[in-house]
Amino acid sequence: FAKRLQANVFMPDYRLAPEHPYPTPINDAFEAYRWLLEQGHDPGSIVFSGDSAGGAMVVSLMVAARNAGLPMPAGGVAISPWANLEHTGASMRNRDGIDPIVSKEALDLIARRFLNGALANNPEASPVFADVRGLPPILVQIGENEVMLSDAIRLATHLAENRVRTSLEVWPNMFHVWPIFADILPEGEQALVSAVRFLEDVLLR
């Protein structure tokens, strides 16, 4: 993104579970965004992007910023978002064992460690349950082989039904966070090109 958008990238080193469970990672990332604004950066020149848990955090951070009265970023890209920690989507069953990167069993364990007793349907942790009204444009990219497929589609639907400009890309045969292999995987390169095109558009609004 830095090279393709000719932009500066700020990557907050937020604390992670299990040592620092929910809501610490979200709070840390929120404070990083607040700090950027305090440094005088125009929110219209800022976009969020993340993958997996970070993909869900794209939405959760926007919700937290809106609730705190902070200005919204220009938009965001959620790649393979882990958007529903209840793991109730159909793909958690019918894609389990197909996705080579993630399994439902592993996600159940990680979710318990992350939540540390909090409810899986907490809207901060699972943005499919959040009040997303008033958020800026969001692109959701998900691989068709992912166990997270159904819940990512649910997230995109939830955003769209609440009047958030939403783009959803489902990539056939792709697995969890496939764009990370863009150097060797044509579909990864194509997904990055598409995400950059989306971000360029929202930054020019």
Side-chain angles (χ1 to χ4, degrees):
F1 283 163
K3 293 178 180 178
R4 295 163 191 256
L5 292 168
Q6 296 185 340
N8 294 319
V9 172
F10 181 76
M11 298 179 65
D13 186 17
Y14 54 84
R15 291 169 290 177
L16 299 172
E19 293 81 7
H20 303 283
Y22 166 85
T24 300
I26 296 172
N27 290 345
D28 284 356
F30 170 77
E31 291 302 326
Y33 179 57
R34 187 202 299 273
W35 180 85
L36 283 175
L37 297 177
E38 290 172 349
Q39 304 313 300
H41 293 283
D42 176 7
S45 70
I46 297 174
V47 291
F48 294 166
S49 185
D51 60 63
S52 196
M57 194 180 290
V58 166
V59 179
S60 296
L61 282 180
M62 290 178 179
V63 171
R66 182 207 61 202
N67 291 347
L70 297 181
M72 290 286 96
V77 174
I79 302 168
S80 298
W82 186 25
N84 177 12
L85 274 60
E86 286 191 331
H87 302 153
T88 52
S91 59
M92 286 288 172
R93 301 181 300 277
N94 60 34
R95 297 300 196 277
D96 202 19
I98 298 175
D99 185 341
I101 307 296
V102 176
S103 69
K104 182 179 183 300
E105 181 181 9
L107 287 176
D108 286 341
L109 173 62
I110 296 168
R112 287 195 298 272
R113 297 285 180 85
F114 173 69
L115 291 167
N116 194 35
L119 294 176
N121 63 1
N122 185 302
E124 287 185 323
S126 296
V128 295
F129 301 109
D131 176 1
V132 295
R133 290 172 294 181
L135 301 192
I138 296 173
L139 167 64
V140 177
Q141 293 182 322
I142 188 75
E144 178 259 331
N145 282 352
E146 296 198 48
V147 291
M148 298 177 186
L149 171 65
S150 298
D151 290 322
I153 293 173
R154 178 177 173 180
L155 175 64
T157 300
H158 180 56
L159 291 165
E161 289 178 342
N162 283 276
R163 299 182 177 180
V164 177
R165 178 184 149 193
T166 307
S167 298
L168 171 65
E169 296 181 356
V170 179
W171 288 74
N173 301 315
M174 289 299 102
F175 47 88
H176 191 58
V177 195
W178 77 99
I180 200 171
F181 297 102
D183 286 347
I184 59 173
L185 186 67
E187 292 87 348
E189 167 67 17
Q190 292 160 13
L192 287 181
V193 168
S194 181
V196 166
R197 187 181 304 119
F198 178 88
L199 293 175
E200 286 176 334
D201 179 62
V202 299
L203 286 167
L204 291 172
R205 283 191 306 151

